[in-house]
Amino acid sequence: MIGLWDTTGNEVVKALAAERRSAGGVASGMALTLIVVVDEKRVREAEAAATIAAAAHPCRLLVVVRSDVERDRNRLDAEIVVGGRLGPCEAVVTRMYGRLALHAESVVMPLLVPDVPVVTWWHGEPPEEISTDFLGVVADRRITDAAQAADPIAELRQRAHDYAPGDTDLAWTRITPWRTLVAGAFDTTQARVTEASVVAPPSDPTAALMRGWLKARLGIDPVLTATEEFPRMRQVQLRCANGDELTLTRDDSVAVFRRTGQEDRTLPLVRRPLGDELAEELRRLDADQVYAEALGAAAGITGLDQRPAQRVHVWKDPATAQRAEAGVTAHAGATANE
């Protein structure tokens, strides 16, 4: 590992090249560039997940940690790891302080692997509009996690408004096992589903996307049965036109599948580590049309998959925005006192 403190982007590029030569790395061995935007307190968690994902998808990992944007002096610290504690990937962990943190692209761009796809993952709450954030604009795929937001359901609606082909969310990835089991239930029947219900906490984004998926696939409007007894989606129930009922109920790491006229079956439904979820999303680098339809159905917005994939960078200065907001508040207070 190489540590560079109070350095420059040019020095980081040189140090990475030297470390790669020392380790015998070649650019052709990298399948993609994975940019991870994360807060300091979650860096280790993100690194652990990226290590698992990199075992299946060799990549150059660029970790962007923005810290203390209000600091008067700009500073860049970096750690460079090639084939070390982060597995087979080449990793550069950058910590940016001061106004430099608002221009992460100036450090990230020279570090991208040439001629391979770019994926950006926000491990935490992403910008309100990833469609205009540079680290989203430069990426072929953009991964968010609505569960990290203070209001996950509102976050999903924002992701729908902001959607462009190539976006996805780990809340969607987490219901892959559920969708697999539900779809498999119809291998032996042609009965049409007329009603559906989902038992889950009202703030569970996985349940919202499950309802959106059922609505998009089956043309029905699933009912949410709210519960606070369980931390995440508990049950999916389908009712068919021939009178059959199909119920899938989570019980720890398994699911109990019940169907009218048949014996109960126990099926695996394990909650996967974050790294496995990330690795699943890195398997495909094209737009996920099924996710777009499910997200649109959940948010009540149609035609998400028909939107243009091109994005445009719009730089915003949060300090200017804060000053403008303070000015509006002060003006409103003065007007109220007149």
Side-chain angles (χ1 to χ4, degrees):
M1 184 188 80
I2 297 178
L4 301 173
W5 315 119
D6 198 4
T7 186
T8 65
N10 190 40
E11 291 301 317
V12 174
V13 173
K14 291 180 180 178
L16 175 60
E19 186 69 4
R20 291 182 63 251
R21 286 193 298 269
S22 176
V26 291
S28 60
M30 299 293 102
L32 56 91
T33 299
L34 176 61
I35 303 172
V36 181
V37 185
V38 63
D39 293 333
E40 181 65 55
K41 62 183 179 182
R42 292 179 172 173
V43 170
R44 296 307 177 195
E45 183 181 334
E47 288 180 346
T51 301
I52 296 174
H57 310 280
C59 63
R60 177 173 293 174
L61 174 64
L62 306 179
V63 181
V64 176
V65 185
R66 294 184 173 113
S67 302
D68 196 4
V69 176
E70 300 299 327
R71 177 185 288 192
D72 294 334
R73 181 173 175 272
N74 296 328
R75 173 171 170 153
L76 171 64
D77 296 339
E79 299 175 54
I80 299 172
V81 183
V82 176
R85 61 184 175 85
L86 298 180
C89 65
E90 302 174 355
V92 180
V93 182
T94 59
R95 291 175 169 83
M96 304 177 192
Y97 304 88
R99 302 285 295 177
L100 175 63
L102 303 178
H103 299 276
E105 65 274 11
S106 63
V107 178
V108 170
M109 281 297 290
L111 296 172
L112 299 179
V113 180
D115 302 321
V116 299
V118 177
V119 179
T120 299
W121 169 40
W122 287 270
H123 184 48
E125 196 162 348
E128 183 176 356
E129 294 182 351
I130 63 175
S131 60
T132 60
D133 182 88
F134 182 87
L135 298 182
V137 171
V138 76
D140 300 278
R141 289 273 281 171
R142 294 158 293 274
I143 304 173
T144 54
D145 190 351
Q148 302 280 353
D151 187 342
I153 304 303
E155 179 67 18
L156 280 183
R157 288 195 293 267
Q158 176 58 30
R159 297 281 64 83
H161 286 289
D162 188 46
Y163 179 85
D167 292 0
T168 191
D169 196 278
L170 291 180
W172 172 250
T173 318
R174 293 184 185 111
I175 64 171
T176 297
W178 281 91
R179 292 187 291 119
T180 300
L181 295 178
V182 170
F186 291 92
D187 289 344
T188 57
T189 183
Q190 298 295 325
R192 182 174 60 89
V193 177
T194 57
E195 297 178 59
S197 63
V198 175
V199 178
S203 61
D204 184 1
T206 61
L209 287 174
M210 173 60 77
R211 292 172 61 211
W213 177 67
L214 291 172
K215 183 176 181 179
R217 296 289 96 188
L218 302 175
I220 59 176
D221 195 2
V223 175
L224 173 65
T225 303
T227 179
E228 297 294 347
E229 296 182 18
F230 307 97
R232 60 187 68 91
M233 185 163 57
R234 169 70 170 175
Q235 184 182 87
V236 175
Q237 185 176 58
L238 306 176
R239 299 175 185 85
C240 302
N242 62 0
D244 285 357
E245 289 192 2
L246 294 76
T247 305
L248 193 65
T249 306
R250 181 199 294 271
D251 188 6
D252 293 329
S253 60
V254 299
V256 178
F257 178 66
R258 297 183 175 89
R259 184 170 186 166
T260 303
Q262 297 184 9
E263 293 185 0
D264 293 354
R265 296 165 55 194
T266 301
L267 305 170
L269 189 62
V270 179
R271 184 174 176 84
R272 297 173 296 171
L274 179 61
D276 288 347
E277 296 170 350
L278 179 61
E280 177 184 328
E281 286 302 330
L282 296 182
R283 290 187 194 126
R284 62 178 302 165
L285 296 172
D286 59 332
D288 190 340
Q289 183 178 359
V290 179
Y291 166 68
E293 293 173 351
L295 178 64
I301 303 175
T302 59
L304 295 189
D305 59 316
Q306 302 300 319
R307 292 183 179 180
Q310 182 179 7
R311 289 177 173 268
V312 178
H313 177 216
V314 178
W315 189 78
K316 297 179 180 179
D317 186 343
T320 302
Q322 290 174 0
R323 286 195 295 268
E325 183 178 348
V328 170
T329 302
H331 176 73
T335 302
N337 293 328
E338 290 179 357

